[in-house]
């Protein structure tokens, strides 16, 4: 590490700005690495979401099939019970003594037959529902398989790109941690707030008398003040933190 050129002792503000600018450089580097991944992180996320949703639908449909089977079986048992009861009533009709008793049994038999017909209609409806649900579940199988294949492929691509730049990314992350440790919480929060709102660039140099972020002209008086490095300056238009050439140079030398 080369000793930094310093004619005068660095002011507290200069140190703050130098650290913030260094952090900005690291973050731009990390952004660049992220951009190399292109749409892949987003694609992988979307595919995973579609897959999860289809798996959930399939589970729901299968659960419905199970419930329908239970309902159908219960209906089946009820029909059999009613049929047995009818047989019993028919047997009793041979043993009764009065017409009144006979008619009462006939009435019971008729009621049971009506109930059986109603249950048979219900059973058909349940069978129909089950067939539809089974078809739905079956249709989901190839769709899920296709999604799984595509997700695996995209994830493989993303891993390859990530691995390619892993070393550089780790180095930058490590550097970032070191810089963040030297910055006050308030400064870091301010930096992150502007960075998130302003397209990843919170700290910009003044280039050709203009803001390096939005290219708005910086008044000469402000440039003079900026060079003194005794006040934190922001661009009047975009609100980004402005740094002087001196900070930019020192920041490079400090690496
Ligand atoms: Zn600006």
């Amino acid at each position: 590490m080369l000793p930094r050129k310093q004619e005068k002792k660095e002011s507290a503000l200069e140190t703050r700005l130098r650290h913030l600018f260094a952090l900005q450089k690291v973050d731009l580097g990390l952004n660049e690495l992220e951009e190399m991944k292109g749409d892949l992180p987003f694609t992988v996320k979307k595919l995973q979401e579609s897959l999860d949703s289809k798996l959930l639908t399939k589970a729901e449909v299968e659960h419905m099939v199970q419930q329908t089977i239970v309902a159908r079986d219960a209906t089946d048992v009820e029909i059999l019970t009613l049929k047995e009861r009818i047989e019993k009533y028919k047997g009793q009709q041979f043993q009764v003594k009065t017409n009144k008793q006979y008619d009462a049994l006939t009435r019971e038999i008729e009621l049971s037959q009506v109930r059986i017909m109603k249950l048979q209609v219900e059973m058909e409806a349940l069978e129909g529902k089950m067939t539809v649900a089974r078809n739905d579940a079956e249709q989901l199988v190839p769709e899920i398989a296709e999604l799984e294949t595509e997700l695996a492929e995209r994830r493989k691509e993303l891993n390859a790109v990530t691995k390619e730049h892993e070393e550089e990314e780790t180095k930058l992350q490590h550097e970032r941690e070191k810089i963040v440790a030297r910055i006050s919480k308030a400064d870091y929060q301010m930096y992150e707030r502007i960075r998130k709102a302003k397209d990843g660039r919170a700290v910009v140099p003044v280039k050709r008398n203009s803001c390096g972020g939005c290219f708005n002209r910086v008044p000469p008086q402000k440039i003079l003040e900026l060079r003194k490095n005794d006040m934190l300056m922001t661009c009047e238009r975009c609100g980004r933190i402005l740094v002087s050439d001196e900070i930019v140079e020192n920041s490079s030398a400090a690496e």
Side-chain angles (χ1 to χ4, degrees):
M1 199 189 279
L2 293 165
R4 212 175 318 119
K5 266 187 271 171
Q6 271 186 336
E7 282 91 36
K8 58 182 170 65
K9 198 186 180 299
E10 193 176 68
S11 74
L13 182 75
E14 277 173 280
T15 312
R16 278 170 67 196
L17 289 172
R18 191 164 52 76
H19 286 154
L20 284 171
F21 189 69
L23 181 60
Q24 177 69 77
K25 280 209 293 184
V26 167
D27 279 340
L28 288 177
L30 284 167
N31 282 356
E32 220 170 279
L33 292 179
E34 203 51 41
E35 272 164 27
M36 282 179 198
K37 294 174 190 170
D39 291 343
L40 281 170
F42 182 75
T43 308
V44 165
K45 191 172 161 266
K46 286 284 145 197
L47 283 169
Q48 184 67 63
E49 282 170 3
S50 308
L51 179 62
D52 289 346
S53 145
K54 290 235 189 267
L55 286 171
L56 185 69
T57 308
K58 188 168 171 271
E60 281 167 355
V61 169
E62 281 167 350
H63 181 65
M64 202 172 78
V65 170
Q66 285 310 312
Q67 279 182 321
T68 314
I69 289 173
V70 170
R72 187 202 57 187
D73 289 351
T75 311
D76 205 20
V77 168
E78 203 181 338
I79 290 173
L80 286 174
T81 311
L82 285 166
K83 280 180 177 168
E84 278 169 20
R85 201 174 293 164
I86 290 171
E87 288 310 307
K88 205 180 90 191
Y89 292 147
K90 280 180 179 168
Q92 285 171 350
Q93 278 182 326
F94 289 110
Q95 292 155 11
V96 292
K97 308 263 168 14
T98 66
N99 277 344
K100 203 183 165 194
Q101 284 173 321
Y102 189 90
D103 291 345
L105 287 166
T106 306
R107 176 94 186 114
E108 285 301 322
I109 290 167
E110 278 168 4
L111 281 175
S112 298
Q113 278 165 342
V114 169
R115 175 81 185 135
I116 287 174
M117 281 204 300
K118 202 177 152 248
L119 287 172
Q120 274 166 344
V121 171
E122 270 175 34
M123 199 136 127
E124 264 170 51
L126 286 170
E127 293 279 359
K129 197 178 157 192
M130 212 165 68
T131 310
V132 170
R134 274 196 174 131
N135 281 343
D136 286 351
E138 266 170 41
Q139 269 180 11
L140 283 167
V141 173
E143 286 174 26
I144 287 169
E146 204 178 304
L147 275 172
E148 278 172 338
T149 310
E150 197 178 348
L151 179 61
E153 276 169 23
R154 295 279 167 268
R155 194 167 268 157
K156 210 170 134 191
E157 284 174 36
L158 178 59
N159 285 346
V161 181
T162 307
K163 205 161 177 58
E164 205 181 323
H165 304 284
E166 208 170 27
E167 208 177 304
E168 202 180 343
E169 197 171 335
T170 310
K171 199 186 121 217
L172 285 173
Q173 289 288 8
H174 188 66
E175 213 173 304
R176 189 178 204 276
E177 277 166 33
K178 279 202 302 195
I179 301 168
V180 170
R182 290 176 191 149
I183 297 175
S184 75
K185 206 179 164 196
D187 273 0
Y188 183 65
Q189 280 170 346
M190 170 180 68
Y191 168 82
E192 285 290 72
R193 181 172 47 77
I194 304 173
R195 187 167 76 101
K196 275 173 192 144
K198 297 289 168 190
D199 211 21
R201 289 165 71 89
V203 187
V204 291
V206 173
K207 281 179 192 164
R208 290 183 197 163
N209 303 329
S210 301
C211 162
C214 72
F215 310 109
N216 193 42
R217 209 177 123 73
V218 180
Q221 183 56 36
K222 200 159 178 171
I223 293 175
L224 281 177
E225 281 175 44
L226 187 73
R227 290 207 178 110
K228 285 192 219 154
N229 277 324
D230 53 21
M231 218 174 93
L232 192 116
M233 300 262 199
T234 54
C235 168
E236 282 163 18
R237 194 163 117 192
C238 68
R240 290 183 176 94
I241 302 159
L242 298 172
V243 289
S244 64
D245 294 340
E246 194 190 0
I247 296 293
V248 173
E249 280 161 29
N250 282 349
S251 163
S252 317
E255 276 179 352

